[in-house]
Amino acid sequence: MGMSQAQVHTVSVDGWSRILVRTTRLWSLSSPTRCPCGPSPCSPFTLCIPLLDQKNSATIHEESRQPCKGLINANRFDDFGLKDTAKCFSECARSGNESCNLGNLQRYWLNYEIHLAEESLTETVNMGFLTALVKNISTSISEDLHFSLTPSQVPKQVTEDEHQHPDRVRLPRSLFESLQGSRPMVRLAITILDVGSGNVFKGPQLSLEDGSSVLNNHVVGLSLGHINVTGLAEPLEITFSHQHQPPNMTLSCVFWDVTKGSLSSSPGSSGDWSSKGCSTEFGVNRTICRCDHLTFFALLLRPVLDQVTVKALTRISQAGCGTSMIFLAFTIVLYAVLRFSRQRFKFEDAPKIHVALSVSLFLLNLAFFINVGHGLKGSDAACWARGAVFHYFLLCAFTWMGLEAFHLYLLVIKVFNTYVGHYFLKLSLVGWGLPALIVIGTGSANSYGPYAIRDKKNTTTLELCWFCEKTATSALYVTVHGYFLITFLFSAVVLGLVALKIFTLSSATAGKEKGQHWKGVLTLLGLSSLVGVTWGLAILTPLGLSTTYVFALFTSLQETSSPDSQRHARMEVLKEKVEEEEEAERAERGEKMMRPMEVRKEETIMTQEMLRDLERKLSEIEVSIPEKPSTFTKDAIDISKLPLSYQSNTPKEEHLLQVADNFSRQYSHLCPDRVPLFLHPVNECDVPKFVSTTIRPTLMPYPELYNWDTCAQFVSDFLSVVPLPDPLKPPSYLYSSTTVLKYQKGNCFDFSTLLCSMLIGARYDAYCVYGYGSQDLCHMDLTREVCPLTVKPKEMVKEEEKAPPKKYAVKPPRDLTSRFEQEQEIKRQEAIKAEEERRLKQEEERLVEQESAKTDPLHGLRVHSWVLVLSGKREVPESFFIDPFTGRSYSTQDDHFLGIESLWNHKNYWVNMQDCWNCCKDLVFDLGDSVRWEYLLLGTDKPLLSLTEEEDDGTNDDDDVENLGKEDEDKSFDMPCSWVEQIEISPEAFETRCPNGKKVIQYKRAKLEKWAPYLNNNGLVCRLTTYEDLECTKTLEIKEWFQNREDMLELKHINKVTGLNIDYFKPGHPQALRVHSYTSMQPEMDRVMEFYETARVDGLIKREETPRTMTEYYQGRPDLLSYRHVNFGPRIKKLALNSAESNPRPVVKITEQFFRNPAKPADEDVAERVFLILDERIQLRYHCRKDRITASKRGAHGAHQEASLPARGHDEAEERGEVVQASGLGVRAGGAGDPEASGGRGGGACADHLHLRHQAQREEQGVSGGHGARDARGTPVAGGGPAGLPGPVSGTAPTGREADALAGRAPQG
């Protein structure tokens, strides 16, 4: 059978003709005819996709299977074909591979994009290297389409609200509207392809740029099949997320343009990346690409320099090169003069090499000035010549630097047998000839031409003649970068060997000459500039712009160093070589008998000289490790006035010292691995004293020192810390507590002894401990600890009792807020709280890592002393430690305490026999257990061992008890009395507390300052400053404590963030003030005052003031007043006396509220009274009866009674005297002389105050009408004038409760 007809479709995608042959019928299986493949008349290239039978397909397998050639899987888009072709991403490396055809591979993936949109039946593809989505899109959509482009997930359509994904694409609806006339539906294919780090989809230009790459190796493809989409009016948007890029790198949006590669002539190339029709919008962690067509897109990462940086580097280079040319010219001229004046310059090779390097550098700088100055001016031949000359002199400079290193090797390393005939001539042939050969070879390949440096916006910032930017990049890397790398490595190796020689000689002659190391360092600096090591900074330029600036500065200022550096190095090495040669010659001449004697003599002489020099140097060294603190030594103590017990020992004390020595020897013999015990250090008179006798139990006469916490805090504040002379050993001295108190200084053992003496005197079971502590504990470093004053106590939430609901109470209005919004708000608040907790946790973890990184090399070896308080006495429930430096208590399980050697009190001494591998956490403090604690003396008061029942039964043997008693009597020894005088603290010293009256403690994010009482004039005794950061630079708040103030101020809290100040007062303030909150002390500012209500006559408990209002709260008043709110108006402008007192704020409104008076009916008991000053009205509201819904109201100016009174006739109301008189403001609320009819209460003080103020205002305003009638107490009872409260303007004067209500006082009678 013959071949059926085939349909050929020509599709133009992205500006290139792609021919796809689709076969509509299968070839006959029996036909051996192959599919004719050839170019189509309408296109330069045709892809033929025949379906072969099994016999024809076998011909492909006969050849070697090479899928990266792109032929075997050309039109095979199943899973196997995709995976087989994807292997080429890694196999086709950047360096190239003969088995890879990049053009075919790239065409394969371009065809696969069309295959997905036209023929694929699957909607999604999810592979490790490829994810794709195929979706039918209506051309009549009403909004833009959004798709997510997460590389690890299949693309999916998202709504407009959900399109804020890190990677996404937006397709405008105008794209599909333009296709409505041709078809109602189109198929859209979106692919995300991971192209790896190979050459596929890299392009010719990208492969030539050093450091350029496709961001994350991800390529995004968008296609509508055969439909050509170009020139969109509204571009599509693709958003790529990424990390923050270095400042010298730029990102650019590109698409794969196949028109840049000839598909027929160059099968190894099928396009390149192009930015035509695409724009780039940069963000912090994202980049938005906008393009007007559909194809493959990517984000390229390229190294660039912006225009400002290029100009700055150019100016630095020009200035440095100009300066270098001046000195280089001076060097050349100086050599020319010396060559004719001195003979040795004619024959020495070293100056000639220096001058040759100077000439090459001078010509290189000159060529640089010419090249940068002219740019691309002139013809192409002139540009070619400038580039070649610049390249030649650059290579000459590199070559002469390498020859300088070679000459240095001969001078310093080899030294002998270094003669070479015509040495400088041969060096000149290499120095000038080798670069010429390289330039000739490079120029023959037409590699020189225009070169441009572009910035991030792809605009040219600098143009010069150099290597051609597009065709000769490889030549640049080989002839410049590679050549320099070889010379630099050789120079660096030689310089390293020279440095080794120089410093070896300097160490050998360190005792004979001074400054050898400095001379060696200066010599190396000169030699490094000579051999061009400064050019090695080019390797560090990718680290950032700073290294680029340093590189430009040092290389442009490079000059030849003085020959003195080479001469100095050569003379030192030559001297060593001569000595070695002489020794070798003596050995060869047979001086076997004399040489050993000479060698011994020389060795003896050298050893003595070295010893003398060493002794002299050691004598000059000052070692600052005093045995005792310089600020608290024995010389500073006046021992002339000390009692006799300080200067000698009694026979009993001598006996005790002998017992202690015997115990120490036995302990050292039985426990040789343990450190010596701290038993009998010397005191301030150099007399050894047993440590237990240094404790003098004393009960202080101050009540504050009776409890352990205040006692420990006093010791911590009163003494200054003196560190131990040796942190690994206990001190050799232990001063008395009286001396320590006198000088207010001491180490940890002095602190513990004093504190233990005071605690035992206060009836605590306290002991001094000798052990090991952490570095923070030994150095009193609290920067990692939280200040105890910053820890807030847990607040107890009191449950409020809900009042029983009233029967006729009005139901509250329905809550119309959305539950969904409330839940969302709760979730948002929880998310904010969780984020804050996470941030704090991360900060704490970071701090812990930083602290753990600072390991203490002496961890577990630092000696420290503290106090142990055992449970039992003084109702101490649990044993605990006290650090005497800080006065803080710690659990016996705390990690700061690493081990215990021994402990003692005023009666005995105990040695710890337990293992401290787990610090002190597993220690049992049962001092009666002789297995765990070995005691020194018998017959002393010590805790009894807790025995088991079996052991208790065994102790009932009378004989054993009697024998044990006799044994103890024989071995018992009474502890001598303490040799320390009675501890006394004078009242002045007790009040002073801190040394010099002040002490500062630094905590974690806090600083605590303490002062002695009466030291500061304002009574300040303590200040706590908390900070936001660990460096303590940003202040959050300040708390200040005061004592002995007349205004009884106790605490001031200043919030630096909000500016709020809160003052707390103790009882006794003249105004009974308790708390005062304010932001400014200026008058008429916001403030809140709280009072001690029991200390005030008026029952005022709180007052809140603003510039326009004043609110007061009362409690316990006889008139049951509970609340008063005053509104002020603006002041009246006056020409003079405009102060707050002379021009008070006018009162506009006064509102008073009262508690319920059970002695009166509810509808006659006033609940609220409102004075409207400007309207001259009074409004009264009564309490509501239980069987009523609303309360009664009354008021002036036609006062009425609303909705609370039961409906009754006018006559009945008239009989009760409740007829309202509407004449003026007079309110007839009861009969004449009926004081009980008034609903008014108290407030007389307010009425009098307001009366005086309004009277003054009316007199100033000229209001007529007199002062109104007043009763016997002077309270106004009628309107018509400036009374204390606004009264009626006209009409009869109110009487009885009406007058009382209008006057604002309690009813008479």
Side-chain angles (χ1 to χ4, degrees):
M1 296 177 62
M3 182 184 68
S4 63
Q5 296 181 352
Q7 298 178 355
V8 181
H9 302 271
T10 303
V11 183
S12 177
V13 179
D14 304 331
W16 67 288
S17 297
R18 179 181 298 167
I19 299 169
L20 179 63
V21 178
R22 300 181 58 195
T23 304
T24 57
R25 296 183 181 179
L26 297 177
W27 289 82
S28 173
L29 297 178
S30 61
S31 175
T33 307
R34 292 175 176 268
C35 173
C37 294
S40 176
C42 60
S43 174
F45 184 77
T46 303
L47 288 178
C48 294
I49 314 177
L51 295 179
L52 306 179
D53 57 2
Q54 296 180 356
K55 296 180 180 180
N56 294 328
S57 62
T59 59
I60 298 178
H61 294 282
E62 293 176 359
E63 302 177 357
S64 59
R65 192 176 190 280
Q66 295 180 346
C68 293
K69 288 287 187 179
L71 298 177
I72 192 170
N73 297 323
N75 296 282
R76 187 174 182 179
F77 301 122
D78 55 355
D79 291 349
F80 177 80
L82 293 174
K83 293 180 180 179
D84 197 28
T85 309
K87 297 178 181 178
C88 302
F89 289 147
S90 58
E91 294 180 3
C92 297
R94 296 291 294 269
S95 59
N97 192 341
E98 296 180 356
S99 62
C100 294
N101 190 311
L102 300 180
N104 292 339
L105 292 176
Q106 289 158 175
R107 278 190 293 272
Y108 175 83
W109 295 109
L110 292 172
N111 292 338
Y112 176 68
E113 182 78 9
I114 297 179
H115 168 76
L116 284 178
E118 293 292 336
E119 301 179 0
S120 177
L121 300 178
T122 61
E123 294 183 355
T124 60
V125 179
N126 189 2
M127 298 183 178
F129 58 91
L130 173 68
T131 57
L133 171 69
V134 181
K135 189 175 182 64
N136 293 325
I137 305 297
S138 174
T139 57
S140 60
I141 59 174
S142 60
E143 59 183 8
D144 298 344
L145 298 181
H146 303 269
F147 296 91
S148 64
L149 298 178
T150 305
S152 60
Q153 300 177 1
V154 176
K156 62 179 180 179
Q157 184 177 359
V158 295
T159 62
E160 185 175 0
D161 295 336
E162 299 176 350
H163 80 281
Q164 297 295 334
H165 292 271
D167 299 88
R168 59 187 181 273
V169 60
R170 181 185 68 84
L171 299 177
R173 65 175 183 177
S174 59
L175 185 155
F176 303 98
E177 290 177 351
S178 61
L179 304 175
Q180 287 183 0
S182 59
R183 59 193 69 195
M185 189 77 66
V186 294
R187 282 176 65 84
L188 172 66
I190 303 176
T191 60
I192 304 175
L193 184 62
D194 187 357
V195 297
S197 59
N199 258 347
V200 183
F201 282 111
K202 294 301 185 293
Q205 183 64 28
L206 192 64
S207 61
L208 295 178
E209 295 180 359
D210 186 18
S212 300
S213 62
V214 176
L215 184 67
N216 298 330
N217 296 323
H218 288 155
V219 176
V220 177
L222 300 172
S223 176
L224 294 180
H226 293 162
I227 302 175
N228 182 24
V229 179
T230 57
L232 293 175
E234 183 180 0
L236 60 91
E237 290 184 1
I238 303 178
T239 303
F240 295 94
S241 65
H242 51 79
Q243 299 295 328
H244 183 69
Q245 300 300 327
N248 60 337
M249 303 296 288
T250 185
L251 295 169
S252 59
C253 297
V254 293
F255 72 96
W256 188 256
D257 188 0
V258 295
T259 61
K260 287 193 173 184
S262 177
L263 300 182
S264 60
S265 60
S266 180
S269 173
S270 64
D272 198 358
W273 292 111
S274 175
S275 59
K276 183 179 180 181
C278 293
S279 63
T280 307
E281 179 182 340
F282 301 101
V284 179
N285 291 320
R286 65 173 187 172
T287 300
I288 300 177
C289 299
R290 295 184 176 90
C291 299
D292 60 354
H293 50 272
L294 297 183
T295 181
F296 274 5
F297 300 94
L299 197 61
L300 297 188
L301 182 65
R302 290 174 172 173
V304 296
L305 294 175
D306 55 9
Q307 189 172 6
V308 177
T309 304
V310 172
K311 290 183 178 180
L313 293 174
T314 304
R315 292 175 181 175
I316 291 174
S317 300
Q318 290 175 345
C321 291
T323 305
S324 180
M325 288 180 66
I326 295 174
F327 287 97
L328 289 171
F330 176 77
T331 302
I332 297 171
V333 173
L334 180 62
Y335 173 76
V337 173
L338 293 177
R339 179 178 174 82
F340 291 101
S341 61
R342 297 188 180 183
Q343 292 293 327
R344 71 182 185 89
F345 279 93
K346 296 181 181 180
F347 304 103
E348 288 188 3
D349 293 327
K352 298 178 183 179
I353 299 174
H354 297 330
V355 172
L357 177 60
S358 301
V359 171
S360 65
L361 289 175
F362 181 85
L363 296 176
L364 173 62
N365 294 332
L366 182 61
F368 172 76
F369 274 108
I370 296 174
N371 202 351
V372 175
H374 285 74
L376 300 181
K377 297 179 182 178
S379 61
D380 293 340
C383 184
W384 185 95
R386 287 197 299 270
V389 170
F390 185 59
H391 186 206
Y392 172 72
F393 287 124
L394 180 63
L395 295 182
C396 288
F398 289 159
T399 306
W400 280 108
M401 291 175 194
L403 294 177
E404 284 279 8
F406 175 74
H407 185 67
L408 184 64
Y409 170 78
L410 297 181
L411 289 178
V412 180
I413 306 300
K414 193 173 182 181
V415 180
F416 297 103
N417 300 325
T418 59
Y419 174 76
V420 178
H422 304 287
Y423 177 65
F424 182 71
L425 178 60
K426 295 177 181 178
L427 292 182
S428 299
L429 289 175
V430 176
W432 303 109
L434 182 60
L437 295 176
I438 297 176
V439 171
I440 292 172
T442 307
S444 62
N446 197 20
S447 299
Y448 302 114
Y451 185 85
I453 299 177
R454 296 179 176 84
D455 60 4
K456 296 180 179 179
K457 299 181 181 178
N458 206 23
T459 58
T460 302
T461 58
L462 180 64
E463 292 180 335
L464 71 160
C465 294
W466 187 229
F467 286 83
C468 290
E469 184 179 3
K470 297 182 179 179
T471 60
T473 309
S474 57
L476 172 65
Y477 283 110
V478 174
T479 61
V480 177
H481 296 178
Y483 193 84
F484 161 73
L485 186 61
I486 294 173
T487 57
F488 172 74
L489 291 177
F490 175 73
S491 302
V493 172
V494 172
L495 190 64
L497 296 176
V498 172
L500 182 62
K501 279 288 182 182
I502 290 176
F503 288 112
T504 302
L505 292 176
S506 300
S507 61
T509 59
K512 300 179 181 180
E513 299 183 22
K514 297 181 179 180
Q516 287 293 319
H517 290 285
W518 284 109
K519 291 180 181 179
V521 171
L522 295 177
T523 301
L524 285 178
L525 290 177
L527 294 176
S528 62
S529 177
L530 189 66
V531 299
V533 175
T534 54
W535 286 79
L537 295 174
I539 303 174
L540 304 178
T541 52
L543 297 180
L545 292 178
S546 58
T547 55
T548 306
Y549 281 106
V550 174
F551 168 75
L553 180 64
F554 278 90
T555 53
S556 60
L557 290 175
Q558 182 187 8
E559 304 166 17
T560 57
S561 64
S562 174
D564 293 338
S565 59
Q566 281 191 347
R567 188 177 300 110
H568 173 73
R570 175 178 173 83
M571 291 303 296
E572 294 292 340
V573 178
L574 187 61
K575 188 185 300 181
E576 183 187 21
K577 292 290 184 180
V578 168
E579 292 177 356
E580 293 178 358
E581 291 289 342
E582 289 179 354
E583 291 181 0
E585 290 178 359
R586 284 197 303 268
E588 291 175 357
R589 291 174 184 175
E591 298 178 356
K592 298 181 180 179
M593 299 299 295
M594 297 298 296
R595 185 175 178 277
M597 297 175 59
E598 293 176 359
V599 171
R600 285 195 298 268
K601 183 177 180 181
E602 291 176 0
E603 289 180 354
T604 305
I605 294 174
M606 287 298 296
T607 304
Q608 291 177 356
E609 290 179 357
M610 293 177 66
L611 288 176
R612 283 196 296 270
D613 293 338
L614 182 61
E615 183 179 359
R616 177 176 55 81
K617 289 188 175 183
L618 289 177
S619 63
E620 295 176 357
I621 298 176
E622 296 181 359
V623 181
S624 58
I625 307 179
E627 291 185 359
K628 300 175 180 59
S630 58
T631 57
F632 190 40
T633 60
K634 297 178 182 178
D635 299 335
I637 301 176
D638 185 11
I639 63 175
S640 60
K641 298 181 180 180
L642 294 178
L644 186 61
S645 60
Y646 285 63
Q647 303 178 13
S648 61
N649 287 324
T650 62
K652 196 170 185 178
E653 288 178 333
E654 292 290 346
H655 187 191
L656 178 60
L657 293 177
Q658 294 177 4
V659 173
D661 286 334
N662 185 29
F663 181 82
S664 178
R665 287 193 297 268
Q666 295 180 21
Y667 175 78
S668 301
H669 177 72
L670 296 175
C671 305
D673 297 334
R674 298 282 294 271
V675 297
L677 297 175
F678 185 68
L679 290 172
H680 43 71
V682 297
N683 64 356
E684 51 265 46
C685 298
D686 286 334
V687 177
K689 297 288 186 178
F690 190 65
V691 290
S692 296
T693 60
T694 310
I695 298 177
R696 177 63 183 265
T698 305
L699 178 61
M700 294 296 156
Y702 306 103
E704 295 89 342
L705 302 183
Y706 186 67
N707 295 322
W708 71 265
D709 50 352
T710 55
C711 191
Q713 195 61 50
F714 171 80
V715 174
S716 173
D717 295 340
F718 192 78
L719 302 181
S720 297
V721 177
V722 177
L724 293 174
D726 188 352
L728 305 182
K729 297 179 181 179
S732 59
Y733 57 89
L734 184 62
Y735 297 156
S736 63
S737 298
T738 55
T739 302
V740 172
L741 287 173
K742 179 179 179 181
Y743 293 93
Q744 290 187 263
K745 297 176 183 178
N747 54 39
C748 56
F749 287 85
D750 298 326
F751 273 67
S752 300
T753 302
L754 175 60
L755 179 59
C756 188
S757 300
M758 298 171 66
L759 292 179
I760 294 175
R763 301 298 184 267
Y764 283 99
D765 192 8
Y767 301 84
C768 290
V769 181
Y770 157 44
Y772 305 96
S774 63
Q775 184 178 9
D776 295 343
L777 194 70
C778 298
H779 292 174
M780 195 183 171
D781 184 5
L782 299 176
T783 55
R784 303 183 188 182
E785 301 289 337
V786 179
C787 181
L789 297 178
T790 60
V791 180
K792 297 181 180 180
K794 295 183 179 180
E795 298 181 356
M796 300 298 294
V797 180
K798 296 182 179 180
E799 297 182 358
E800 297 182 356
E801 297 181 359
K802 296 182 180 180
K806 297 182 179 179
K807 183 177 181 181
Y808 299 101
V810 179
K811 294 183 179 180
R814 295 181 60 186
D815 187 7
L816 300 180
T817 57
S818 173
R819 291 184 179 179
F820 176 75
E821 292 180 355
Q822 292 179 353
E823 294 176 356
Q824 293 299 319
E825 180 65 20
I826 293 174
K827 290 181 180 179
R828 190 180 68 84
Q829 295 294 337
E830 292 178 352
I832 295 175
K833 185 178 180 181
E835 179 66 20
E836 182 67 18
E837 292 178 354
R838 186 185 64 81
R839 187 185 65 81
L840 294 177
K841 185 177 180 180
Q842 290 181 352
E843 181 69 14
E844 292 295 333
E845 292 177 354
R846 185 182 66 83
L847 295 177
V848 170
E849 291 179 359
Q850 291 180 355
E851 293 173 357
S852 60
K854 301 177 182 178
T855 57
D856 182 16
L858 302 180
H859 182 73
L861 302 177
R862 295 183 182 273
V863 172
H864 191 58
S865 179
W866 62 92
V867 174
L868 167 66
V869 179
L870 293 181
S871 59
K873 293 185 177 180
R874 288 292 304 270
E875 299 180 356
V876 175
E878 186 178 0
S879 302
F880 61 92
F881 293 145
I882 301 177
D883 180 29
F885 281 169
T886 60
R888 301 178 63 181
S889 63
Y890 296 87
S891 170
T892 56
Q893 312 290 322
D894 197 273
D895 294 332
H896 285 91
F897 303 91
L898 307 179
I900 295 178
E901 289 288 347
S902 60
L903 55 86
W904 62 92
N905 63 358
H906 62 296
K907 294 183 177 182
N908 207 342
Y909 188 96
W910 291 267
V911 180
N912 178 29
M913 306 304 295
Q914 304 173 71
D915 193 359
C916 296
W917 67 272
N918 195 19
C919 301
C920 299
K921 298 178 181 180
D922 298 333
L923 297 185
V924 178
F925 293 98
D926 188 356
L927 300 184
D929 188 352
S930 58
V931 177
R932 295 186 174 95
W933 297 93
E934 184 69 32
Y935 49 85
L936 177 65
L937 302 179
L938 293 175
T940 58
D941 184 14
K942 60 180 181 296
L944 298 178
L945 176 63
S946 300
L947 301 177
T948 61
E949 295 182 358
E950 297 178 357
E951 294 174 343
D952 194 12
D953 294 340
T955 57
N956 292 331
D957 192 353
D958 297 337
D959 297 337
D960 294 339
V961 172
E962 293 178 359
N963 296 335
L964 181 61
K966 295 179 180 180
E967 230 178 278
D968 290 344
E969 289 178 359
D970 296 337
K971 295 182 180 181
S972 62
F973 181 84
D974 294 334
M975 181 69 67
C977 297
S978 177
W979 54 274
V980 181
E981 282 189 327
Q982 182 73 22
I983 300 176
E984 296 180 356
I985 302 175
S986 63
E988 295 80 5
F990 180 73
E991 292 294 338
T992 304
R993 294 292 176 94
C994 309
N996 299 323
K998 182 180 180 180
K999 190 169 187 177
V1000 180
I1001 303 175
Q1002 194 73 33
Y1003 289 95
K1004 182 179 181 180
R1005 294 193 182 97
K1007 181 176 69 173
L1008 182 64
E1009 302 171 87
K1010 297 180 180 180
W1011 289 272
Y1014 304 103
L1015 182 65
N1016 296 318
N1017 295 330
N1018 59 353
L1020 180 63
V1021 296
C1022 184
R1023 176 188 291 140
L1024 175 64
T1025 307
T1026 56
Y1027 301 91
E1028 182 179 357
D1029 53 343
L1030 292 175
E1031 292 76 15
C1032 298
T1033 57
K1034 299 179 182 179
T1035 305
L1036 286 180
E1037 61 180 15
I1038 299 175
K1039 290 184 179 180
E1040 297 179 341
W1041 285 264
F1042 299 86
Q1043 290 182 3
N1044 309 315
R1045 287 176 60 103
E1046 293 182 358
D1047 58 356
M1048 309 306 290
L1049 178 62
E1050 182 180 19
L1051 171 63
K1052 178 184 287 292
H1053 186 186
I1054 305 172
N1055 193 319
K1056 289 294 185 179
V1057 178
T1058 62
L1060 179 64
N1061 298 346
I1062 305 177
D1063 297 343
Y1064 298 88
F1065 298 85
K1066 295 187 295 185
H1069 188 273
Q1071 303 298 330
L1073 188 61
R1074 185 169 63 89
V1075 181
H1076 185 197
S1077 304
Y1078 57 92
T1079 56
S1080 174
M1081 292 299 294
Q1082 297 296 328
E1084 301 180 12
M1085 297 296 291
D1086 293 347
R1087 66 183 70 247
V1088 178
M1089 292 174 283
E1090 300 179 12
F1091 302 89
Y1092 292 96
E1093 63 275 9
T1094 57
R1096 291 185 63 94
V1097 179
D1098 56 357
L1100 180 63
I1101 60 175
K1102 186 178 182 180
R1103 174 180 293 169
E1104 299 175 355
E1105 293 185 8
T1106 65
R1108 293 290 184 180
T1109 62
M1110 181 183 71
T1111 306
E1112 296 178 339
Y1113 302 88
Y1114 297 89
Q1115 188 174 1
R1117 287 174 60 99
D1119 57 359
L1120 301 180
L1121 178 65
S1122 63
Y1123 170 84
R1124 176 181 292 150
H1125 182 78
V1126 181
N1127 294 84
F1128 299 99
R1131 282 193 174 89
I1132 301 174
K1133 296 184 179 179
K1134 293 185 178 182
L1135 297 178
L1137 300 177
N1138 197 17
S1139 63
E1141 297 180 358
S1142 62
N1143 187 17
R1145 295 177 291 177
V1147 179
V1148 177
K1149 179 182 178 181
I1150 301 176
T1151 303
E1152 297 179 342
Q1153 295 178 359
F1154 300 87
F1155 292 112
R1156 176 75 173 88
N1157 187 359
K1160 290 185 177 182
D1163 54 358
E1164 296 181 5
D1165 189 13
V1166 175
E1168 183 181 66
R1169 179 168 53 194
V1170 181
F1171 299 94
L1172 303 175
I1173 307 300
L1174 298 181
D1175 297 339
E1176 297 185 345
R1177 293 183 58 194
I1178 299 178
Q1179 294 180 354
L1180 300 179
R1181 180 177 62 82
Y1182 295 87
H1183 286 278
C1184 183
R1185 290 172 53 179
K1186 294 183 179 180
D1187 55 349
R1188 297 293 184 265
I1189 298 177
T1190 60
S1192 300
K1193 292 184 179 179
R1194 293 182 183 179
H1197 283 305
H1200 57 281
Q1201 189 174 12
E1202 296 180 357
S1204 67
L1205 294 176
R1208 57 183 181 266
H1210 178 74
D1211 298 337
E1212 181 182 355
E1214 186 175 6
E1215 292 177 359
R1216 292 174 54 90
E1218 294 177 351
V1219 178
V1220 178
Q1221 182 177 356
S1223 175
L1225 292 181
V1227 180
R1228 173 79 170 157
D1234 186 9
E1236 295 298 331
S1238 173
R1241 300 173 184 257
C1246 178
D1248 296 339
H1249 174 70
L1250 295 176
H1251 159 66
L1252 297 176
R1253 181 174 296 179
H1254 284 279
Q1255 181 179 354
Q1257 292 177 359
R1258 287 180 176 273
E1259 289 177 356
E1260 291 174 358
Q1261 298 173 1
V1263 180
S1264 61
H1267 299 291
R1270 298 178 179 271
D1271 58 5
R1273 298 173 57 186
T1275 304
V1277 296
L1285 291 174
V1289 177
S1290 63
T1292 59
T1295 60
R1297 80 179 68 182
E1298 179 181 334
D1300 293 333
L1302 294 177
R1305 68 171 185 270
Q1308 299 291 329

